[in-house]
Amino acid sequence: MPTNPEASSASHAGLNSAMTLKDEIQRHIRFTMARDPQKPNRHACFMGLAYSIRDRLIDRWIRTQRSQYDTLAKRVYFLSLEFLPGRFLMNYLISLKMVDEARQTVEEMGFDLDELEEEEWDAGLGNGGLGRLASCYMDSLACLDLPGYGYGIRYDYGIFHQTIENGWQREQCDNWSRKGTPWEIRRGEYLRPVRFFGRTETYADASGRQCHRWVGGETVMAMACDILVPGYGDDFVTNMRLWRAQSSREFNLDEFNQGDYIGAVEAKVLSENISGVLYPSDEMEQGRELRLKQQYFFVAATLADILRRHRKMNRAFSELPDFVAIQLNDTHPAIAIPELMRLLMDEEGLRWAEAWPICEKTFAYTNHTVLPEALESWPVDLIRRILPRHMEIIFEINRRFLAMVDSQKIGDSSLAQRVSLIVEGGQQRVRMAHLAIVGSHTVNGVAELHSKIIKEELFKDFDILFPGRLANVTNGITPRRWLAQANPPLAKLINDTIGPGWITDLAQLRRLEPLAEDAAFRQHWIKTKRDNKKRLARYILRKIGVGVDPDTLFSVQVKRIHEYKRQLLNVLHVIALYHRIRANPDAPMVPRTVIFAGKAAPAYHQAKRIIKLINAVAARTNSDPDVQGKLRVVFLPNYCVSQAEKIIPAADLSEQISTAGLEASGTGNMKMSLNGALTIGTLDGANIEIMEEVGEENIFIFGLTANQVTALRKGGYNPQTYYDSDAELRQTLDSISRGDFSPEDPYLFSPIMESLLYRGDYYMLLADFRAYVTAQEAVSRLFLDKDEWARKSILNTARMGKFSSDRSVMEYADNIWGLKPLAAVEKEE
C-alpha cells in the first residue's frame, strides 16, 4: 500500500480538497450537529473538528481495507477484554500531522485547541496496564502497516469514576459517552447472535457419524462498533472492533398491555447489561455469571466475524492458520479455544483430528501475571449451565491432553493432577490459563524475568511437555502517545536537536547521549522538566485545591492500588520523613512532593484502606506548619490516561517498588523513564531490563531479589524481627497503630498493621523498608546536584529505544504471528 510521509489534510481523497479545515468544521457544526456555525460553543467546535478528522481517517481506512483484501494478507486479531486508548483527538492530529493546522484553525474560530481537547472524556474501555498495553499495540500495528484488528467490548460505563470522600475511595458511574462520541462508527448491519444456556443434542449425520448441536437457551445480539486507529504520517488506518450487546427482543407488548411495565423491558435490559460495565463485581453469583457472559459474548461475536472474512475469500478451513493469527491478551478470551472447536466441528462438520491442529496453529496466548492466585478459573457448574457445549469440549480437550501426558511416561505421579485443565476435589473448576496453554502454539511472558518465572516455576510442567512453546516478548509503549503527545515541550526539544525520526524509530534517541555532557543542553532539559512540573502543579491546584512547589522533588507512584505494588511502602517512607522533620525542623533536607494516583477494585477492601491512609497522611503532613515547604503529599482522584499524560512528564522520580518476582512487567516504569524520570525500584518485571539499558549508575535499585524473596519465605520470614531491630520503622508503624493519622478512630488502620506484623507481611514491606529508605537518601543527595541529575535524566530518555511497542509488536509479528507489513506483502505480490 503506498504511503506518504508528508500526508496532510489537503491530500485526502474522497473529500472536497477545495474546502479548508475551517469550512469542514463549520459544515459539520451545521449539518451533523444541527447548530449555527456562526455561534458555536466549545463543545460544538470540538465535535465539528472531531468529525472533520474522522472523515480523513475513514477515507484512509477504506483504502487500507481494499489493500488488505487485494494482497490476501494474513491478519492478526488481538482479543482483549480491555483497551485503554485515552482521548483520541490529539492522537489523531499527531498521526495526521495536523496539530499546527488544527490549532491555527480553531484559534481563528475563537477557541484554544488544548481547551477543546478537555471536552473529550477518556473512553471507558479499560482499567489499567492490560488495556493500555493493548492500545499501545494497536497503535504500533497501524504504525508498522501490519494487517490486524483489536477486538473487545464497547462498555457503556467502563470501570468506575473514582472520587475521594473523607479520604475514602467512592465509585461512581463512568458515563463516558453520555454526550455521544464522534469517534465510534456503529455497524448496525454487523449483528452477531450469541447464545447462552440451553442444552446440547447428539445426532447422527447422513454418514452415521455422531454429531452435536447446541439448542435452546437465550440469544443476545452483538453489534459491531468500530474505532479507527491510524498509523503515523501515512495512509494506513486500522480499527478496533468493539461489541455492544443488544437484546434480540426489544419490547414485550403483551406484558406492557397487561400492566407489567417493568417486565415488558426486563429481558432487553438484562441482555444489554453484558456490555454495561467492565469487571462487574464477582462477590455475588450474578456478578460471576455476568463476567463469564462478557468473555464469551465478545469471543463468540469476534470468531463469527473472523470466519465471515475467511468464507468471503472461499478458503478451506484447513488454511485458517495461514491467514489468521489470534492473540489472547490474558486468559479472559481463552473461551475462544472451545468456541472455535465448536464452530469447526458442530457448524462446519470437521472432525476433531482436523479441527484441533487448526486451533493450535491459530491461537497464541500472552500471560500477564506470576501470581498463581490471580490465574483465572471458573466453576465447572457455571460454565456447564451457561455454555453447555463448551464444557463438553473442554472436558474432551482435557481427556485427550491427559492421555498425551500419560503417553510421555515422565514418571511423575502427580503431573497429571498439576497440569489438568480441571481442578478436582471439592468444587470442580476450569483453569483458564491451562486451557490457553494447551490450545495455543506459543505462550509468552511480558518481561525477561517474568518469562523466566513462568518457565521455571509457574508453568514449568508445560515447558517440559511442550518444549519451546513458552517464549518472551518484553512489553513496550508507543512513543507517539507517551512522548510526542504527552510531552510536547520535551518532544520539541528533541526534534530541534536530532530531528523527528525517533517518533517511528525510538532507537534514534541514542543520538541524545553525547548531549548529556553538554551544559547548555542540560539547562534546556532542566527548563523543560520544570515547565512540565509547573503545568502539573496548576492541575493539582485546580483538581484538589492543594498547592505544590515545582522546585521540589516530584516523587510519583501512579498505578492500580494493590498490596504487591506496595504503595504502602511508599507511605511508610513518607511517615518516616515526617517524623524526621518534626524531630529536627531546622535540619537540611531535600523538599519533596509525593504524588499518588490509582484505583482500587471495589471489592478490594485492603487496597481501599491504603488509599484512606495515604489521604490521612496527606491531611496531617500538609496541614502541619513544621513541614511546610519540605514535604507535600498528594492523592489525585480518578487516575486515567489523560491524567497520566499530565503527571508522567513532570515526574522526577519514578516509584516502581513492587515485591520482586510479582510484577510481570510494568509499563509505567517505561513511560516515566522515557520522559526523563529516574527510577527507584526493585529488581522486578521490566525494571531489570530498564537497568540494563540505562545503566546501574542511572537508576536506584534496592531490596530483595525474586530469588531472595522465595528463599526468605521458605526459610520462615518473621516481620517482627525487622520491627524490633529498626527504631525508625518501629516509630513509623507505632504512629499508625496508635491513631496519629486517624485520631477520630485510632483503630481505623488496624487491618493494615495486622497484615504487616501478625499475618506474615506477605509482600515483605518490612524486609525492604531499610533498603528503600537508604535508596531514597541517595535520591535526595543526587537531586541536590541539578546538573548531574539532568545528565542522568537525559541518559534515561536516550536509552529507552528498546521499550518501544513497535519493537514488541514486530517481535510478535516475526516470531509468533508470521505476519508481514502490508508494504512488504505488496512487494512480494
Side-chain angles (χ1 to χ4, degrees), residues 65-122:
Q65 294 303 302
R66 287 175 184 164
S67 184
Q68 291 190 36
Y69 279 107
D70 290 346
T71 56
L72 304 179
K74 183 177 183 179
R75 307 183 194 194
V76 63
Y77 298 85
F78 195 85
L79 274 59
S80 181
L81 198 60
E82 294 185 44
F83 290 92
L84 197 60
R87 292 169 173 164
F88 292 100
L89 177 63
M90 198 61 73
N91 179 256
Y92 288 162
L93 290 173
I94 288 172
S95 296
L96 294 170
K97 297 187 175 181
M98 287 182 59
V99 175
D100 292 341
E101 180 185 2
R103 190 175 298 279
Q104 180 179 341
T105 298
V106 299
E107 283 179 1
E108 292 172 6
M109 299 176 68
F111 298 98
D112 178 80
L113 183 61
D114 296 328
E115 292 180 357
L116 287 189
E117 187 185 14
E118 294 296 320
E119 287 293 306
E120 183 177 355
W121 281 63
D122 285 48

Side-chain angles (χ1 to χ4, degrees), residues 714-760:
K714 288 180 178 177
Y717 171 56
N718 182 6
Q720 191 73 37
T721 60
Y722 296 90
Y723 174 83
D724 292 338
S725 62
D726 191 323
E728 187 169 45
L729 174 60
R730 189 166 58 252
Q731 179 190 34
T732 297
L733 295 178
D734 287 350
S735 67
I736 300 173
S737 295
R738 66 174 172 257
D740 287 5
F741 302 99
S742 57
E744 72 289 348
D745 182 0
Y747 302 105
L748 179 62
F749 300 116
S750 294
I752 292 176
M753 292 299 99
E754 288 171 7
S755 73
L756 293 177
L757 289 171
Y758 310 115
R759 292 208 302 269

Side-chain angles (χ1 to χ4, degrees), residues 591-610:
R592 284 180 179 246
T593 298
V594 184
I595 299 168
F596 296 90
K599 296 178 180 179
Y604 193 173
H605 302 294
Q606 188 78 326
K608 295 171 83 168
R609 198 173 296 272
I610 290 170

Side-chain angles (χ1 to χ4, degrees), residues 512-780:
L512 292 173
E513 273 199 45
L515 294 163
E517 310 304 326
D518 185 316
F521 184 77
R522 288 198 299 268
Q523 289 306 307
H524 286 302
W525 193 270
I526 291 169
K527 181 182 183 304
T528 298
K529 176 65 74 172
R530 190 173 188 278
D531 288 345
N532 285 326
K533 292 170 73 174
K534 287 166 65 177
R535 181 178 71 144
L536 178 59
R538 291 192 295 269
Y539 174 80
I540 292 171
L541 184 62
R542 185 174 76 250
K543 192 79 174 176
I544 61 173
V546 175
V548 300
D549 182 354
D551 290 321
T552 60
L553 188 157
F554 277 20
S555 172
V556 174
Q557 190 174 18
V558 288
K559 56 185 67 205
R560 178 167 55 96
I561 308 296
H562 195 289
E563 287 171 279
Y564 89 82
K565 295 179 184 288
R566 301 204 296 191
Q567 286 90 352
L568 184 54
L569 180 60
N570 195 347
V571 178
L572 296 182
H573 174 245
V574 169
I575 295 172
L577 287 179
Y578 175 66
H579 287 311
R580 288 183 182 185
I581 297 168
R582 292 274 297 172
N584 192 356
D586 297 325
M589 70 165 293
V590 172
R592 284 180 179 246
T593 298
V594 184
I595 299 168
F596 296 90
K599 296 178 180 179
Y604 193 173
H605 302 294
Q606 188 78 326
K608 295 171 83 168
R609 198 173 296 272
I610 290 170
I611 291 176
K612 171 63 176 175
L613 177 61
I614 293 170
N615 282 291
V617 170
R620 179 69 175 267
T621 57
N622 295 350
S623 62
D624 191 327
D626 287 342
V627 302
Q628 294 305 303
K630 298 176 182 177
L631 182 62
R632 208 73 160 157
V633 182
V634 170
F635 186 94
L636 285 168
N638 202 45
Y639 185 58
C640 56
V641 174
S642 59
Q643 189 180 91
E645 291 170 359
K646 297 177 177 67
I647 297 172
I648 288 171
D652 291 310
L653 186 66
S654 168
E655 299 270 354
Q656 309 297 330
I657 59 177
S658 54
T659 309
L662 297 186
E663 180 71 82
S665 169
T667 55
N669 45 9
M670 303 172 190
K671 293 162 192 166
M672 284 196 253
S673 191
L674 178 64
N675 282 272
L678 273 60
T679 301
I680 183 169
T682 53
L683 286 173
D684 196 28
N687 289 355
I688 297 171
E689 290 164 79
I690 290 175
M691 179 188 71
E692 291 169 351
E693 293 297 310
V694 305
E696 292 184 38
E697 69 281 7
N698 297 314
I699 190 172
F700 299 94
I701 295 296
F702 73 94
L704 300 170
T705 66
N707 289 337
Q708 289 170 336
V709 167
T710 301
L712 191 55
R713 282 210 180 98
K714 288 180 178 177
Y717 171 56
N718 182 6
Q720 191 73 37
T721 60
Y722 296 90
Y723 174 83
D724 292 338
S725 62
D726 191 323
E728 187 169 45
L729 174 60
R730 189 166 58 252
Q731 179 190 34
T732 297
L733 295 178
D734 287 350
S735 67
I736 300 173
S737 295
R738 66 174 172 257
D740 287 5
F741 302 99
S742 57
E744 72 289 348
D745 182 0
Y747 302 105
L748 179 62
F749 300 116
S750 294
I752 292 176
M753 292 299 99
E754 288 171 7
S755 73
L756 293 177
L757 289 171
Y758 310 115
R759 292 208 302 269
D761 182 24
Y762 182 77
Y763 299 105
M764 298 193 172
L765 281 75
L766 305 197
D768 274 348
F769 175 80
R770 180 48 50 194
Y772 179 55
V773 171
T774 301
Q776 290 283 11
E777 290 168 350
V779 168
S780 294

Side-chain angles (χ1 to χ4, degrees), residues 763-805:
Y763 299 105
M764 298 193 172
L765 281 75
L766 305 197
D768 274 348
F769 175 80
R770 180 48 50 194
Y772 179 55
V773 171
T774 301
Q776 290 283 11
E777 290 168 350
V779 168
S780 294
R781 287 193 297 272
L782 181 65
F783 194 73
L784 289 172
D785 187 342
K786 300 298 183 186
D787 218 38
E788 183 62 11
W789 184 282
R791 192 182 74 82
K792 292 179 180 290
S793 172
I794 294 166
L795 291 176
N796 266 261
T797 297
R799 295 173 178 175
M800 286 301 289
K802 173 180 177 176
F803 301 101
S804 170
S805 54

